[in-house]
Amino acid sequence: MKMKIQYLKPEVLVETAEKNMQTHLQTWLSKWFFYRKKLYSIELVYLPYYVFSYTLESNSLRGEIQGFVGVETYEKQAAILPAGQETFEADSTTLPLLPVGEEINAKHAYDLVYEEAFRKEKKRSSIKLQVNSPFLLYVPYYVGYLKGKETDILAADGLSGNLQYDIKDAILKAFLKESQLVKQG
């Protein structure tokens, strides 16, 4: 039986992500940093995030706020997700899903939301935050493969098309885990 998974659909075309990568590679800093690397291939992959819904209240907010925080499973980077973001369901075999890294616990998500939401809050005792059980969500990224003296990658968010430099290590770790799973296979 095929497992159903939750995912976000890419909102930009691969051509947009490719254009953003090519533009980036043409800057003088990139030419120096990437030393004449050329984009030779691009693919869409889905990186797993544990998504926690949360409810928070504080004196400064004047009411309750509900939202979602997603934590990717390799580098544990967080993203606050819009409450109205539409998710979709598919068979796990129909999408290029990367394997899950580590399970993320609710305490980690709580700490992330608390820190993000209340950096400027002076009276932290007025904060009430509840983080609920997570669900697994796959987020789209375009991965561009660069070739030169060395092989490298660039990643673009599949929702905005913007380059995401900080997600590179997570994607590389996911590729490594996928390779290990295939070898065990």
Side-chain angles (χ1 to χ4, degrees):
M1 184 174 142
K2 294 178 184 176
M3 187 178 90
K4 294 282 186 190
I5 56 101
Q6 297 280 345
Y7 73 101
L8 298 176
K9 286 185 179 177
E11 295 182 6
V12 295
L13 299 173
V14 66
E15 292 82 7
T16 303
E18 183 176 5
K19 181 180 177 221
N20 291 348
M21 289 178 190
Q22 294 288 12
T23 300
H24 173 74
L25 290 170
Q26 297 306 312
T27 66
W28 68 270
L29 186 59
S30 290
K31 285 182 182 179
W32 177 78
F33 186 70
F34 289 108
Y35 192 68
R36 297 185 194 159
K37 290 183 181 171
K38 302 275 188 236
L39 181 66
Y40 71 92
S41 178
I42 191 168
E43 72 172 323
L44 176 66
V45 298
Y46 289 84
L47 191 63
Y49 281 71
Y50 279 105
V51 177
F52 298 82
S53 63
Y54 65 87
T55 304
L56 59 89
E57 292 180 64
S58 104
N59 293 340
S60 66
L61 293 175
R62 296 186 186 132
E64 184 178 275
I65 293 179
Q66 295 182 342
F68 294 93
V69 61
V71 184
E72 63 83 11
T73 65
Y74 289 92
E75 294 291 306
K76 297 183 177 76
Q77 296 179 53
I80 303 294
L81 304 173
Q85 182 76 50
E86 186 177 6
T87 62
F88 298 89
E89 209 174 75
D91 288 331
S92 58
T93 57
T94 60
L95 296 171
L97 304 177
L98 294 173
V100 174
E102 297 177 35
E103 203 167 301
I104 308 296
N105 63 39
K107 170 79 170 106
H108 187 76
Y110 180 96
D111 292 345
L112 288 167
V113 173
Y114 190 92
E115 186 65 32
E116 185 68 30
F118 298 109
R119 286 183 197 184
K120 297 175 184 157
E121 187 78 18
K122 290 182 176 53
K123 294 183 181 178
R124 292 186 181 229
S125 61
S126 71
I127 297 168
K128 293 179 190 159
L129 174 61
Q130 178 185 344
V131 174
N132 301 311
S133 297
F135 64 93
L136 197 58
L137 178 69
Y138 288 87
V139 178
Y141 288 91
Y142 291 105
V143 177
Y145 298 93
L146 310 178
K147 198 163 195 142
K149 281 186 176 180
E150 301 169 342
T151 301
D152 203 352
I153 69 166
L154 283 174
D157 183 330
L159 302 175
S160 68
N162 295 333
L163 297 187
Q164 300 290 315
Y165 309 104
D166 57 346
I167 206 73
K168 175 181 168 178
D169 287 346
I171 290 173
L172 289 173
K173 286 178 181 179
F175 284 162
L176 181 61
K177 183 168 184 175
E178 185 176 52
S179 172
Q180 291 168 342
L181 291 171
V182 167
K183 284 180 184 176
Q184 291 172 1

